[in-house]
């Protein structure tokens, strides 16, 4: 069985951090996120019509803590503009990569701009150890990050008006593996996941899945196996992960592949119980260990090339939103954000 790696070498993490500057995308905390602006069209939610009593909260970014597994854990919480405390809103949990701060993950994916456009609640949890990481392979000497996220979801749901049928997880690199792990460990709570340049874990869950991976990823190879960055360790190939996940959902494990552009290949799995969009893999031909479409571009010498041909953030939200109810009322305060879906 292919062996998954728990932690990245500290040297690589330091290189990534150095490439990231101040770790906040050059912006103060609470400022609009960097990156391509997601589609401003608001999508309404399914689930109960109202939260009673109301659960009001100011919009913006705050830092929260809780005790999980006997230690203090931290997460960033972003409440969208127009949140009214009564209309259940989708919740998106976004996991940072190894050695990267949670605020950088928010900025890389432009998740605060996405939240304001779509009326979301976004949470960016913080890993542990040095460099920061996720125990996505459930090593016994590491923290129980699944239990931490479960406690965090409970805390956020108690505080805010959350649509429990619209809880999504996304992650980059080591954080992608954590999003995948959650979908396997908490099938009753995670509706869909998005994995970008993932350190994949050996499990199959029940959530819908969208993936993005570059064929020239120098850190976590697209085709799996070993890499000079991690001698002695072997990694799961992206296509195998997508195929096995599709089979687990009851789809045909053989994808229909189309070339969307010179550098983008899209694999869709068919004959799924709910249609053909339950598992999608975006292959970036020549792409590196990067977040497609981000404005927070790391040096190519460290992570490889970052494509601007697609936006992973826009595409993952379109994928997540397929399960939402378009006939429900739009979030309060979003009247100015109901455009034609064009990127600003």
């Amino acid at each position: 069985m292919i062996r998954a790696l728990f932690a990245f070498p500290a040297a690589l993490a330091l290189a990534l951090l150095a490439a990231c500057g101040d770790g906040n995308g050059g912006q103060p905390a609470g400022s609009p996120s960097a990156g391509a602006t997601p589609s401003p069209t608001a999508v309404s939610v399914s689930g109960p019509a109202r939260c009673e009593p109301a659960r009001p909260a100011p919009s913006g970014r705050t830092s929260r803590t809780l005790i999980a597994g006997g230690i203090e854990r931290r997460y960033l919480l972003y409440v969208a503009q127009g949140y009214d405390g009564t209309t259940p809103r989708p919740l998106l949990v976004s996991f940072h990569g190894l050695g990267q701060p949670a605020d950088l993950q928010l900025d890389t994916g432009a998740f605060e701009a996405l939240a304001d456009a779509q009326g979301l609640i976004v949470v960016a949890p913080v890993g542990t150890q040095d460099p920061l990481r996720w125990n996505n392979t459930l090593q016994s000497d590491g923290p129980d990050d699944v239990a931490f996220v479960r406690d965090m979801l409970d805390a956020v749901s108690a505080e805010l008006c959350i649509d429990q049928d619209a809880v999504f997880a996304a992650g980059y690199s080591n954080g992608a593996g954590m999003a995948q792990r959650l979908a396997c460990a908490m099938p009753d709570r995670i509706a869909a996941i998005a994995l970008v340049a993932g350190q994949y874990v050996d499990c199959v869950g029940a959530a819908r899945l969208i993936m993005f991976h570059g064929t020239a990823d120098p850190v976590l190879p697209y085709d799996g196996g070993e890499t000079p960055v991690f001698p002695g360790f072997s990694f799961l190939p992206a296509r195998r992960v997508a195929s096995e996940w599709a089979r687990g959902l009851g789809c045909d494990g053989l994808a229909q592949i189309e070339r969307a552009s010179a550098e983008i290949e899209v694999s869709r799995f068919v004959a799924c119980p709910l249609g053909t969009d339950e598992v999608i893999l975006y292959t970036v031909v020549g792409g590196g260990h990067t977040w497609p479409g981000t404005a927070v571009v790391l040096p190519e010498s460290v992570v490889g090339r970052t494509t601007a041909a697609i936006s992973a953030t826009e595409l993952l939200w379109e994928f997540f939103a397929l399960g939402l109810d378009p006939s429900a009322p739009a979030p309060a305060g979003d009247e100015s954000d109901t455009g034609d879906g064009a990127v600003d």
Side-chain angles (χ1 to χ4, degrees):
M1 180 173 62
I2 294 180
R3 182 181 179 190
L5 182 65
F6 167 63
F8 294 84
L12 177 63
L14 291 174
L16 290 173
L17 283 173
C20 297
D22 62 5
N24 193 32
Q27 303 178 85
S31 64
S33 298
T37 304
S39 166
T41 304
V43 178
S44 301
V45 302
S46 57
R50 295 178 64 83
C51 287
E52 295 181 355
R55 301 171 189 173
S59 60
R61 182 194 299 185
T62 56
S63 178
R64 305 296 176 88
T65 60
L66 58 80
I67 302 299
I71 60 176
E72 184 176 82
R73 301 297 301 265
R74 189 169 73 89
Y75 60 94
L76 301 181
L77 175 69
Y78 186 80
V79 178
Q81 301 288 333
Y83 169 79
D84 62 10
T86 62
T87 305
R89 304 312 309 162
L91 174 64
L92 195 159
V93 184
S94 185
F95 293 94
H96 63 74
L98 175 121
Q100 296 184 325
D103 53 7
L104 179 64
Q105 175 66 7
L106 289 177
D107 292 338
T108 297
F111 284 111
E112 292 174 343
L114 177 71
D116 286 341
Q118 304 292 347
L120 311 180
I121 306 300
V122 176
V123 177
V126 180
T128 61
Q129 306 180 70
D130 185 14
L132 292 174
R133 67 192 74 171
W134 299 105
N135 184 12
N136 54 32
T137 56
L138 307 181
Q139 292 199 353
S140 59
D141 58 347
D144 188 342
D145 283 331
V146 171
F148 159 54
V149 175
R150 183 179 289 110
D151 291 345
M152 181 191 71
L153 292 178
D154 289 343
V156 173
S157 297
E159 179 183 357
L160 301 174
C161 187
I162 302 298
D163 181 355
Q164 299 300 324
D165 294 327
V167 178
F168 309 109
Y172 166 68
S173 193
N174 174 242
M178 191 63 213
Q180 185 186 358
R181 174 61 64 189
L182 280 188
C184 296
M186 302 165 55
D188 57 326
R189 302 195 71 168
I190 306 298
I193 59 174
L195 314 181
V196 180
Q199 178 216 336
Y200 307 118
V201 298
D202 196 4
C203 74
V204 175
R208 294 166 56 243
L209 168 68
I210 186 169
M211 295 169 53
F212 304 85
H213 210 124
T215 61
D217 189 325
V219 180
L220 297 171
Y222 179 86
D223 290 325
E226 294 190 14
T227 170
V229 178
F230 302 109
F233 291 94
S234 189
F235 297 89
L236 295 167
R239 287 194 186 280
R240 172 181 153 183
V241 170
S243 178
E244 291 186 357
W245 199 276
R247 286 191 175 97
L249 294 184
C251 309
D252 187 334
L254 298 176
Q256 290 187 349
I257 302 174
E258 62 176 294
R259 197 63 174 260
S261 69
E263 59 181 312
I264 303 297
E265 182 183 275
V266 185
S267 301
R268 298 178 186 272
F269 293 83
V270 300
C272 301
L274 299 180
T276 60
D277 288 319
E278 291 192 59
V279 178
I280 302 175
L281 167 62
Y282 281 85
T283 297
V284 182
V285 179
H289 192 67
T290 58
W291 189 282
T294 183
V296 185
V297 178
L298 302 178
E300 190 169 331
S301 60
V302 177
V303 295
R305 187 172 61 83
T306 301
T307 184
I310 57 172
S311 165
T313 300
E314 291 184 15
L315 289 168
L316 71 83
W317 178 249
E318 289 177 6
F319 181 77
F320 290 167
L322 289 175
L324 304 184
D325 181 6
S327 65
D334 282 358
E335 290 83 359
S336 62
D337 289 333
T338 53
D340 59 1
V343 177
D344 291 340

